[in-house]
Amino acid sequence: MSETKKIIPAKTGRLRRRSGGWRLVKILVPSLLLVAVAMALYVAYLDRIIRHKFDGKRWALPAVVYARPLELYPGLIFTAPMLAAELQLAGYRQDKAAKDPGGYDLAGNVVRLSTRDFAFADGVEQSARITVEFSGAAVKKIARTDTGAELALARIDPARIGSFHPLENEDRVVYKREELPELLVKTLIAVEDQHFYTHFGVDPLGILRAMFANLRAGKTVQGGSTLTQQLVKNFFLNNERTLYRKFNELIMALLLEAHYSKDEILTAYANEIFLGQDRGRAVHGFGLASQFYFRRELKDLSAAQLAMLVGMIKGPSYYDPRREPERCLHRRQVVLDVMRSEGVISDELYGTAKAAGMEKGEMVQSGFNRYPAFLDLVRRQLGEEYREEDLTSNGLKILTTLDPQVQTQVEKQLQETIAALEKRTGVTGLEGAVIVSSREGGEIQAVAGGREAMQSGFNRALDAHRPIGSLIKPVVYLTALNNGYTLATPVDDIVLTVSAAGAKDWRPANYDKKEHGVVPFYEALAHSYNLSTVRVGMDVGVEKVVENIGRMGIRSDFQPYPSFLLGTAELSPLEVARMYQVFATGGFYQPQRVISSVLTLENKVVQRFGLSVEQRFSPESIFLLNTALQRVVREGTAKGLARMIPESVHAAGKTGTTDELRDSWFAGYTGDRLAVVWIGCDDNRPTKLTGASGAMVVWGKIMGSLHPQPLELTEPEGVEWARINPDSYGYSEEASRADVVLPFATGTIPAGAERPSPASGGEPQEGKGPEFWNTIRDWFQ
């Protein structure tokens, strides 16, 4: 059977091919339209991202925290090395000429410096060149360097001690376009993007040149990204090396150029570019980099210094001048060559810049973020007034009360003394905390949250709530003075048993396990007798003692158990300082201050934290108590302080020790400062230390290093003096009562006491206290 072939007409074949082509078109056209729509939507999405961030607040500017300003005047106890150290902390640089702001020169007992402009709450302090002469441990003379005119006071811009960052922990000093030095702008364009003002965000010719250069070299030696692309990568994207990221970069660069001017893009680049790392914070922008690397304002940088910064754009870590000075120097010279070849600098300036040495490689310790415990307290107090967003994005300027000189001594003495105590006792893992404030104003000058001051984490000064032991006793005795007792009242220091329904009998004991018989009221406090304290407290009522500690600003729900009288209450060092501040100020309660004022980014005052006081205890009873607390130091448990501070200081204070020697405390004050010290173990192990052998040693060394002013108690009206009758008490091995003169509220001098005659010296103190508190008292009278 023959095979038959079906013949298809040619026309029919063409029709089938044509119908297949139409089907392909029908598929491709919608697909292409879909891709175009998706692409348009995606571009619109990227456009919205760009405009939202670029039109709004471009950077989350952290709140910047400053120490107190240093005010110098003739007679101030201050030395030339102390001034040099504080200037370095504030970011000043050593400069023989000391002509430009932020420079200083130390020569023997003379310091020449040029201060920087700074906006305080009361206005802008203009930059000035001054010369400070010292004589011994005091300022002798202050004068203008240029005219020689003497100054009564010089206020130096404060050290920047920290900032509150959002999560990315970036930092920058933002500049406007007109504030950018033209030499920097021309250098940036010459080195990074020579066609910046002519391209549209992407430079195709530049990309081709970079490709050929890299192919010839066999490695990446040249980049083709424009300044706009670099800004997009740093501002909107990340450093992933993917085609997707590069595609986004190209599109966003075109969009950025379409919406914003070249000057806006250039300014944003200068403020955004990453230029290094300062411990925990990223250094962004040329403004902050100039301060970080050179301790100068951007406008004061030389051609060589600007060349170094521009050269570091290629790799801030790779060209780090402190870790890789040779590599950084080579890169700087390359940039200088480009600057000359492109006509940015003259041959003469090129020669000067190329011959300039590199900045010193050592890292000078600044105050930035090195006081974590103090900054923790600042943040907590600000948190009561401001939202977290305000603190981490609005660029607030926080002026605080931190005194770097006091803080330095606190850190030094705490660390060194704890190390010595560990060696002496064999107890390891000792920790400590310190609070120092001004006596009159309550401004907190220093905080140590642990023996390692720069370690952040658990802040013992604020959060370690420990039994305070005998630090509670002044509250007990103050309560008694307000309820019929005098400093001369005989009290029994004899064993007693306290019984309470549903509880075991409590038999307190003295630290020395002895009874001391009938003793004067003041002596029971001076020698910290437990038995007499419990008797006094039980007599006046534990509830009244608890009420009084609440009047001192301690907000805790204490139960009025008898053991409360011997310090079972758990307080932080900050709370103890608040309590003792009431004693130190003559019965006034005032909130502790760590912030003096808050300014906006534009230097407008938002808030001032002024002095707020309230009289909560009578001046007479506080004066009597302070007289007894001075006796604690003169003849009682704190008499060992005489080895560390002069007796002429007349300090007042109280030791504190808890059961099994688990906590060592000391709280006290001189004429100018109050300080609280705690030493213990975080795991509550015994320390083998009493308050006198541990915390008091730290306190004494801190105060001794700060040239303490004498404590001259302000004697109120209604106080008279009398010599007590020693026959009213039992025999004492620890104290002679033969010639003890004490103050009494008018009408309370006990029978048998003798008023001192003028010939015998009269009253031991004549009430020559600070006029400040006399004025405050007048407000309430």
Side-chain angles (χ1 to χ4, degrees):
M1 184 177 178
S2 62
E3 183 178 332
T4 60
K5 295 183 179 179
K6 188 175 182 180
I7 300 174
I8 300 175
K11 186 175 180 180
T12 303
R14 285 196 299 273
L15 286 172
R16 287 185 178 180
R17 285 194 296 274
R18 188 177 301 165
S19 63
W22 275 112
R23 280 197 300 272
L24 183 61
V25 169
K26 288 179 180 180
I27 293 171
L28 284 176
V29 169
S31 298
L32 290 172
L33 286 174
L34 188 62
V35 170
V37 170
M39 186 66 174
L41 290 173
Y42 187 65
V43 170
Y45 164 72
L46 295 179
D47 187 67
R48 189 165 62 253
I49 290 176
I50 287 174
R51 300 187 71 167
H52 174 74
K53 191 167 183 180
F54 225 74
D55 287 343
K57 186 167 55 181
R58 296 178 184 175
W59 294 281
L61 298 178
V64 179
V65 186
Y66 294 88
R68 60 93 182 97
L70 176 59
E71 295 184 342
L72 299 174
Y73 52 88
L76 175 69
I77 302 298
F78 218 71
T79 65
M82 287 168 65
L83 176 56
E86 185 147 342
L87 291 173
Q88 287 192 352
L89 195 73
Y92 278 65
R93 66 192 179 280
Q94 285 188 290
D95 180 0
K96 281 287 183 185
K99 289 183 178 179
D100 297 328
Y104 80 95
D105 179 52
L106 169 63
N109 284 328
V110 177
V111 176
R112 292 183 298 115
L113 67 147
S114 180
T115 64
R116 299 174 296 209
D117 292 348
F118 192 84
F120 293 96
D122 58 357
V124 176
E125 190 86 18
Q126 299 292 338
S127 171
R129 293 176 61 205
I130 61 174
T131 299
V132 185
E133 294 182 30
F134 296 84
S135 177
V139 176
K140 179 182 178 182
K141 177 184 173 184
I142 307 172
R144 290 192 174 275
T145 304
D146 49 359
T147 66
E150 292 194 23
L151 301 172
L153 176 72
R155 183 164 61 169
I156 299 173
D157 49 295
R160 177 177 174 171
I161 60 173
S163 58
F164 300 134
H165 297 265
L167 293 177
E168 55 265 27
N169 217 28
E170 296 178 355
D171 202 5
R172 57 178 53 76
V173 176
V174 177
Y175 276 68
K176 299 176 183 176
R177 172 61 183 88
E178 58 269 21
E179 295 172 333
L180 295 175
E182 283 304 309
L183 184 57
L184 170 64
V185 172
K186 291 178 180 179
T187 302
L188 263 178
I189 292 172
V191 174
E192 293 294 323
D193 189 356
Q194 294 184 4
H195 301 99
F196 174 71
Y197 283 109
T198 57
H199 65 61
F200 45 85
V202 178
D203 185 3
L205 292 178
I207 293 173
L208 289 174
R209 280 196 301 272
M211 287 176 58
F212 286 128
N214 295 337
L215 286 172
R216 280 199 306 269
K219 60 181 180 179
T220 302
V221 295
Q222 186 175 328
S225 295
T226 63
L227 283 179
T228 311
Q229 287 176 266
Q230 292 180 48
L231 175 60
V232 166
K233 182 178 71 173
N234 284 284
F235 201 59
F236 300 102
L237 304 174
N238 53 41
N239 289 321
E240 288 181 350
R241 292 175 175 259
T242 62
L243 290 175
Y244 173 70
R245 201 272 296 160
K246 195 66 178 176
F247 172 76
N248 282 339
E249 179 187 302
L250 292 171
I251 299 299
M252 294 176 88
L254 296 173
L255 291 170
L256 199 63
E257 291 268 356
H259 290 304
Y260 303 100
S261 69
K262 290 289 186 178
D263 277 351
E264 286 180 288
I265 293 170
L266 181 66
T267 305
Y269 179 92
N271 287 317
E272 174 62 24
I273 191 67
F274 173 66
L275 288 169
Q277 195 76 25
D278 178 16
R279 296 194 296 271
R281 66 167 177 163
V283 177
H284 284 260
F286 289 98
L288 183 59
S290 67
Q291 295 179 6
F292 178 58
Y293 291 109
F294 305 113
R295 295 180 169 236
R296 291 176 180 269
E297 296 299 317
L298 188 57
K299 61 183 176 62
D300 297 324
L301 296 190
S302 66
Q305 291 166 332
L306 287 173
M308 190 195 94
L309 292 182
V310 172
M312 291 177 66
I313 293 173
K314 191 174 181 181
S317 298
Y318 189 76
Y319 295 109
D320 188 326
R322 288 161 179 161
R323 290 188 300 170
E324 302 291 345
E326 293 297 325
R327 190 181 290 165
C328 181
L329 177 62
H330 176 73
R331 175 64 182 161
R332 187 193 76 175
Q333 308 300 55
V334 170
V335 173
L336 287 172
D337 289 342
V338 174
M339 292 168 72
R340 182 180 65 168
S341 64
E342 295 298 321
V344 175
I345 56 176
S346 64
D347 289 344
E348 182 181 358
L349 184 54
Y350 170 79
T352 302
K354 193 145 189 174
M358 288 288 290
E359 297 294 314
K360 290 184 178 180
E362 68 266 16
M363 188 78 168
V364 179
Q365 181 65 63
S366 72
F368 191 82
N369 282 355
R370 72 176 301 270
Y371 306 122
F374 185 88
L375 291 172
D376 185 13
L377 180 55
V378 171
R379 188 160 199 155
R380 294 189 198 194
Q381 290 200 0
L382 285 171
E384 299 173 2
E385 304 281 344
Y386 298 92
R387 299 174 303 161
E388 182 69 14
E389 180 185 351
D390 297 327
L391 299 181
T392 59
S393 62
N394 290 338
L396 295 176
K397 180 186 288 185
I398 315 297
L399 306 182
T400 74
T401 58
L402 178 101
D403 187 324
Q405 300 298 327
V406 178
Q407 182 73 36
T408 297
Q409 289 303 321
V410 165
E411 294 175 4
K412 177 178 184 293
Q413 303 301 340
L414 180 64
Q415 187 175 57
E416 291 180 358
T417 306
I418 286 182
L421 291 172
E422 284 185 332
K423 188 175 180 180
R424 193 186 81 201
T425 62
V427 177
T428 58
L430 285 179
E431 269 297 349
V434 181
I435 296 282
V436 180
S437 64
S438 66
R439 184 179 73 87
E440 292 186 343
E443 298 97 346
I444 294 177
Q445 299 176 347
V447 179
R451 63 190 292 181
E452 297 295 337
M454 291 185 65
Q455 278 187 0
S456 56
F458 183 50
N459 191 342
R460 296 165 187 82
L462 279 56
D463 298 325
H465 289 80
R466 305 292 291 245
I468 62 173
S470 295
L471 294 191
I472 194 66
K473 289 176 181 174
V475 186
V476 178
Y477 285 77
L478 175 61
T479 306
L481 288 169
N482 285 324
N483 285 273
Y485 280 75
T486 72
L487 294 183
T489 300
V491 294
D492 291 333
D493 190 64
I494 301 170
V495 170
L496 74 160
T497 300
V498 180
S499 300
K504 285 185 178 181
D505 289 348
W506 180 47
R507 290 176 61 86
N510 284 324
Y511 175 74
D512 61 6
K513 308 302 180 186
K514 297 179 182 179
E515 299 173 82
H516 303 92
V518 181
V519 299
F521 182 93
Y522 79 87
E523 192 176 297
L525 177 58
H527 294 281
S528 201
Y529 293 151
N530 292 337
L531 298 176
S532 48
T533 299
V534 173
R535 287 182 178 274
V536 169
M538 295 294 289
D539 182 46
V540 300
V542 183
E543 296 83 359
K544 290 183 179 179
V545 179
V546 171
E547 180 186 345
N548 277 340
I549 200 172
R551 292 172 66 193
M552 294 175 182
I554 307 303
R555 302 178 184 90
S556 295
D557 186 20
F558 298 118
Q559 297 302 310
Y561 299 133
S563 58
F564 180 84
L565 301 170
L566 295 185
T568 55
E570 296 183 352
L571 300 180
S572 69
L574 181 65
E575 289 172 315
V576 172
R578 186 181 308 152
M579 184 169 70
Y580 274 71
Q581 195 84 45
V582 176
F583 306 149
T585 56
F588 287 93
Y589 170 76
Q590 54 185 333
Q592 295 158 304
R593 293 193 304 141
V594 72
I595 304 162
S596 58
S597 56
V598 178
L599 283 71
T600 65
L601 186 63
E602 294 77 27
N603 294 319
K604 295 181 179 178
V605 177
V606 177
Q607 188 172 7
R608 293 196 192 202
F609 292 74
L611 185 65
S612 173
V613 297
E614 179 186 346
Q615 181 92 52
R616 293 194 176 177
F617 296 91
S618 71
E620 296 82 9
S621 60
I622 292 291
F623 179 77
L624 302 183
L625 178 69
N626 278 329
T627 302
L629 290 175
Q630 285 182 320
R631 285 185 171 273
V632 172
V633 176
R634 188 161 65 244
E635 64 192 57
T637 56
K639 61 184 178 182
L641 275 177
R643 300 190 302 269
M644 290 166 271
I645 61 174
E647 291 186 30
S648 59
V649 172
H650 302 302
K654 186 70 189 74
T655 54
T657 310
T658 60
D659 288 347
E660 299 181 23
L661 305 183
R662 296 181 187 276
D663 300 275
S664 172
W665 288 92
F666 190 82
Y669 36 95
T670 63
D672 51 350
R673 292 186 178 89
L674 176 149
V676 175
V677 178
W678 168 82
I679 291 179
C681 295
D682 288 340
D683 58 6
N684 206 30
R685 286 180 292 115
T687 64
K688 298 183 182 180
L689 296 169
T690 64
S693 64
M696 189 192 77
V697 179
V698 177
W699 191 97
K701 289 187 175 181
I702 291 171
M703 288 298 196
S705 68
L706 296 173
H707 307 284
Q709 297 300 302
L711 175 60
E712 297 179 334
L713 300 178
T714 302
E715 183 180 317
E717 295 181 5
V719 170
E720 47 191 0
W721 296 78
R723 182 174 289 104
I724 66 173
N725 181 4
D727 295 335
S728 302
Y729 317 101
Y731 171 73
S732 172
E733 296 179 352
E734 297 182 351
S736 170
R737 305 169 187 140
D739 194 31
V740 175
V741 178
L742 297 173
F744 296 87
T746 300
T748 65
I749 294 178
E754 176 190 351
R755 293 178 183 273
S757 64
S760 66
E763 301 169 2
Q765 298 200 48
E766 297 178 358
K768 296 180 181 177
E771 290 299 321
F772 174 82
W773 288 111
N774 290 330
T775 303
I776 294 292
R777 284 195 180 85
D778 289 343
W779 298 348
F780 293 88
Q781 291 176 354

